[in-house]
């Protein structure tokens, strides 16, 4: 899968996720949904972590089922965000003078592996239930752990691409990796 295809996939996921949550008609009961919400529900938390929020309405679910689906949704959102961030990092360190097909294949495999590992290692930090019994969950991934995993993956998976390792080291020193992860 090429960078272009990965980018289109990531943008499509964000677009679909954004469209699936929007509604032109807001029920009057939903207007007060977030009145007593903690700040982490209303404001994107920043810092040395990548965070994602997942929600799940009550419907006919037990609390445990509802909570588990909210966590699953948060982790899916985290995976989408990580895929986009890692794709951008691999664009930064790309070298146009190498075998593009071989590189793209490795990039795809590395991103899939890092995303799975990172999502599996993410932590559920907070949970809140609204007055309408919608559950909100915050999952978090420490950036230092992600950077450590990325570093190991780059050196292991791209050892036969010295220019990629060199570009990665340079981007790391220049702070471009941190910037890409914090966006």
């Amino acid at each position: 899968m090429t960078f272009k295809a990965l980018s289109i996939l990531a943008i499509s996921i964000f677009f679909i996720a954004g469209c699936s949550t929007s509604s032109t008609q807001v029920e009057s009961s939903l207007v007060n949904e977030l009145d007593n919400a903690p700040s982490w529900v209303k404001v994107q938390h920043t810092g040395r972590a990548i965070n994602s929020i997942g929600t799940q309405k009550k419907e006919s679910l037990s609390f445990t089922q509802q909570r588990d689906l909210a966590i699953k949704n948060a982790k899916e959102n985290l995976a989408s965000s990580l895929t986009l961030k890692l794709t951008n990092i691999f664009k930064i360190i790309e070298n146009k003078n190498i075998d593009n097909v071989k590189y793209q294949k490795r990039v795809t495999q590395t991103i899939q592996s890092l995303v799975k590992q990172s999502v599996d290692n993410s932590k559920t930090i907070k949970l809140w239930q609204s007055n309408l019994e919608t559950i909100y969950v915050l999952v978090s991934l420490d950036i230092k752990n992600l950077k450590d995993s990325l570093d190991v993956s780059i050196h292991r998976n791209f050892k036969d691409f010295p220019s990629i390792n060199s570009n990665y080291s340079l981007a790391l020193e220049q702070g471009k990796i941190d910037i890409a992860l914090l966006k």
Side-chain angles (χ1 to χ4, degrees):
M1 188 175 269
T2 65
F3 276 127
K4 187 174 182 179
L6 269 172
S7 297
I8 292 171
L9 176 65
I11 291 169
S12 298
I13 290 170
F14 284 121
F15 180 76
I16 291 168
C19 290
S20 66
T21 59
S22 66
S23 174
T24 55
Q25 295 180 341
V26 178
E27 293 179 34
S28 60
S29 61
L30 292 178
V31 172
N32 300 325
E33 169 82 3
L34 301 178
D35 278 352
N36 298 319
S39 62
W40 62 266
V41 171
K42 298 177 184 179
V43 179
Q44 178 67 32
H45 179 71
T46 58
R48 298 302 297 171
I50 299 172
N51 300 298
S52 183
I53 294 177
T55 64
Q56 182 60 47
K57 293 183 179 188
K58 176 70 174 157
E59 297 167 353
S60 61
L61 303 170
S62 70
F63 178 84
T64 303
Q65 292 170 322
Q66 186 183 5
R67 180 204 60 212
D68 291 348
L69 285 171
I71 291 170
K72 179 181 178 234
N73 292 337
K75 288 186 175 197
E76 287 174 356
N77 293 337
L78 180 63
S80 295
S81 176
L82 286 174
T83 299
L84 186 61
K85 290 173 187 294
L86 292 169
T87 299
N88 288 334
I89 288 171
F90 281 102
K91 285 180 184 176
I92 292 169
I93 66 172
E94 182 177 21
N95 182 332
K96 304 290 183 196
N97 298 323
I98 61 174
D99 180 355
N100 192 44
V101 174
K102 188 175 178 182
Y103 177 70
Q104 296 299 333
K105 184 176 179 182
R106 276 258 187 106
V107 166
T108 301
Q109 293 168 342
T110 302
I111 288 174
Q112 289 172 347
S113 174
L114 281 168
V115 167
K116 181 181 179 342
Q117 175 187 356
S118 297
V119 169
D120 289 347
N121 291 332
S122 67
K123 306 277 188 248
T124 301
I125 304 297
K126 299 189 185 256
L127 182 139
W128 177 71
Q129 188 174 32
S130 73
N131 293 337
L132 297 176
E133 297 185 340
T134 299
I135 290 183
Y136 292 77
V137 175
L138 177 69
V139 297
S140 185
L141 175 66
D142 182 64
I143 287 182
K144 182 185 179 326
N145 293 341
L146 177 58
K147 279 177 61 177
D148 291 345
S149 296
L150 178 60
D151 190 62
V152 168
S153 292
I154 294 277
H155 293 300
R156 182 177 2 130
N157 297 337
F158 296 91
K159 61 185 166 200
D160 56 335
F161 290 111
S163 63
I164 298 302
N165 280 287
S166 177
N167 290 352
Y168 173 74
S169 295
L170 181 61
L172 194 59
E173 286 176 24
Q174 293 174 338
K176 291 179 180 178
I177 303 299
D178 286 320
I179 291 168
L181 291 173
L182 292 171
K183 277 185 182 179

